[in-house]
Amino acid sequence: MIQLTNVCKDYETAGGRRRILNNINLTIRPGERVGILGRNGAGKSTLVRLISGAEPPTSGTIERFMSVSWPLAFSGGFHGTLTGADNLRFICRIYGADFESRLQFVQEFSELGSYLYEPVSTYSSGMRARLAFAVSMTIDFDCYLIDEVMAVGDERFRERCRVELFEKRADRAMLIVSHSHRYLKGTCHRFLLFRDGEIEEHDDFEEVYFRYKESIGEAFENKEQMVAEMQ
């Protein structure tokens, strides 16, 4: 289980201190898939970083009683002067994982070919995302943090990502940020809507999507109109 209690996050800006998350209380249980919606800048990715431990909250507590991944497809932790393979070697050392068996998986899954042995600084953004996702799948976690990961690569690669993550790890908890309503509706059990630094929780996707469209100024006249768009 992951438990957030009265979590706040502030950032210093040119206009002064800005509160992005305000008194967030949230529980993620084993095996749950929680989807997150909200306009850009609402705090979705900030929440993912806090839960991963990449950033601390300004106040409040985050308790983790299960292992938590870094944000999937996040490539900011790679060392640019090291090759993709050497970055993988470093991560395997941190987690006490066997390098050779995981190198074979990353070679096959990322389809980077010889670029796996070139410095990551020479990669395109798409190549870095492929490497990041493949490396993420080499370490087992109880909870996976997913921030628009399925936008990586072409349709064939996205399907391979879907099978690797949602079928082979169907028993794991997941926190999923996405702007794709079809993706969230077909994947998640619970839904969080970020508005004004706070979250609204819903079990019904149509309700949360209706309120999400209101929050970004694209309100439907009625739910029937919304359902027609979603089909």
Side-chain angles (χ1 to χ4, degrees), residues 77-147:
F78 289 142
H79 197 297
T81 62
L82 296 179
T83 68
D86 284 338
N87 272 280
L88 172 63
R89 188 190 305 273
F90 178 72
I91 290 170
C92 286
R93 286 178 180 171
I94 292 175
Y95 286 93
D98 176 67
F99 169 69
E100 293 300 331
S101 61
R102 285 159 176 79
L103 176 62
Q104 182 178 354
F105 172 84
V106 170
Q107 284 177 319
E108 295 173 356
F109 196 91
S110 69
E111 299 179 332
L112 290 173
S114 61
Y115 277 100
L116 188 59
Y117 301 94
E118 297 291 337
V120 169
S121 60
T122 66
Y123 289 14
S124 67
S125 59
M127 293 166 64
R128 290 171 71 99
R130 281 174 174 261
L131 176 66
F133 185 87
V135 169
S136 297
M137 294 296 97
T138 64
I139 308 296
D140 284 328
F141 296 100
D142 298 319
C143 179
Y144 287 89
L145 306 177
I146 306 165
D147 195 344

Side-chain angles (χ1 to χ4, degrees), residues 195-210:
R195 299 182 68 166
D196 302 321
E198 299 179 353
I199 59 173
E200 301 175 11
E201 184 164 353
H202 301 268
D203 293 325
D204 179 67
F205 181 77
E206 291 184 0
E207 176 65 25
V208 72
Y209 190 64
F210 189 84

Side-chain angles (χ1 to χ4, degrees), residues 11-206:
Y11 289 103
E12 294 293 342
T13 70
R17 180 177 288 264
R18 181 185 175 198
R19 174 149 293 185
I20 302 299
L21 300 178
N22 185 39
N23 289 326
I24 301 299
N25 291 282
L26 176 66
T27 300
I28 303 172
R29 299 173 183 83
E32 286 188 321
R33 295 183 185 178
V34 182
I36 301 179
L37 297 94
R39 61 175 177 78
N40 291 336
K44 305 183 300 296
S45 295
T46 298
L47 179 69
V48 169
R49 291 195 299 272
L50 294 186
I51 292 176
S52 74
E55 294 184 27
T58 302
S59 61
T61 60
I62 301 176
E63 299 175 281
R64 304 171 187 85
F65 300 101
M66 53 186 176
S67 60
V68 182
S69 77
W70 55 83
L72 266 60
F74 173 69
S75 57
F78 289 142
H79 197 297
T81 62
L82 296 179
T83 68
D86 284 338
N87 272 280
L88 172 63
R89 188 190 305 273
F90 178 72
I91 290 170
C92 286
R93 286 178 180 171
I94 292 175
Y95 286 93
D98 176 67
F99 169 69
E100 293 300 331
S101 61
R102 285 159 176 79
L103 176 62
Q104 182 178 354
F105 172 84
V106 170
Q107 284 177 319
E108 295 173 356
F109 196 91
S110 69
E111 299 179 332
L112 290 173
S114 61
Y115 277 100
L116 188 59
Y117 301 94
E118 297 291 337
V120 169
S121 60
T122 66
Y123 289 14
S124 67
S125 59
M127 293 166 64
R128 290 171 71 99
R130 281 174 174 261
L131 176 66
F133 185 87
V135 169
S136 297
M137 294 296 97
T138 64
I139 308 296
D140 284 328
F141 296 100
D142 298 319
C143 179
Y144 287 89
L145 306 177
I146 306 165
D147 195 344
E148 291 288 3
V149 66
M150 301 308 281
V152 174
D154 56 25
E155 184 62 34
R156 184 179 62 86
F157 186 77
R158 289 196 294 272
E159 175 61 16
R160 294 177 63 206
C161 291
R162 186 194 66 78
V163 171
E164 191 67 33
L165 185 58
F166 296 118
E167 292 188 10
K168 295 185 179 181
R169 294 164 177 78
D171 61 334
R172 310 302 170 86
M174 298 180 189
L175 188 69
I176 304 172
V177 175
S178 178
H179 287 98
S180 170
H181 60 267
R182 292 183 179 86
Y183 176 44
L184 289 179
K185 182 179 181 181
T187 304
C188 300
H189 311 134
R190 296 164 53 202
F191 306 95
L192 307 177
L193 173 61
F194 277 65
R195 299 182 68 166
D196 302 321
E198 299 179 353
I199 59 173
E200 301 175 11
E201 184 164 353
H202 301 268
D203 293 325
D204 179 67
F205 181 77
E206 291 184 0

